[in-house]
Amino acid sequence: MTSGKLLRILIACAALAAFSGVASAQQDGSGQGVKQDAKAAGHDIGNGARDVGHATKGAAISVGHGAKEAGHGIAHGAREGWDATKHAVKQVFGKSD
């Protein structure tokens, strides 16, 4: 699941929780219940956002490591190509390594 989808689901759940909390608090006529429900929804949103952040960090690290390995492979290939070219030129012009 992508972080975008996870974030949309998180926001929808938080909105639903906040709305249901406000609706039940209005039926009870209790202002304290609204505050507690809003606080709980805020904590849930914060926890979900933290989880999305951790997932994004993990994906970025994985991509970064893959790019690093690809860069090393390219560098080694370029070095081997340079060495082969240098050796071939020296052979053509009669110079030894």
Side-chain angles (χ1 to χ4, degrees), residues 3-40:
S3 61
K5 289 181 183 177
L6 187 62
L7 185 59
R8 285 189 214 129
I9 291 170
L10 176 67
I11 290 171
C13 290
L16 181 61
F19 177 73
S20 64
V22 170
S24 66
Q26 288 176 348
Q27 289 174 356
D28 296 336
S30 169
Q32 189 65 26
V34 172
K35 288 181 186 178
Q36 289 174 347
D37 291 340
K39 184 177 178 181

Side-chain angles (χ1 to χ4, degrees), residues 3-96:
S3 61
K5 289 181 183 177
L6 187 62
L7 185 59
R8 285 189 214 129
I9 291 170
L10 176 67
I11 290 171
C13 290
L16 181 61
F19 177 73
S20 64
V22 170
S24 66
Q26 288 176 348
Q27 289 174 356
D28 296 336
S30 169
Q32 189 65 26
V34 172
K35 288 181 186 178
Q36 289 174 347
D37 291 340
K39 184 177 178 181
H43 284 292
D44 291 342
I45 291 170
N47 291 339
R50 184 187 63 238
D51 293 342
V52 169
H54 286 300
T56 304
K57 176 186 172 190
I61 288 172
S62 297
V63 169
H65 286 301
K68 179 181 175 184
E69 292 300 317
H72 285 298
I74 292 168
H76 287 294
R79 181 64 187 186
E80 288 174 1
W82 169 253
D83 289 342
T85 303
K86 185 171 66 171
H87 180 72
V89 168
K90 286 183 178 182
Q91 282 185 337
V92 167
F93 290 105
K95 296 181 180 181
S96 63

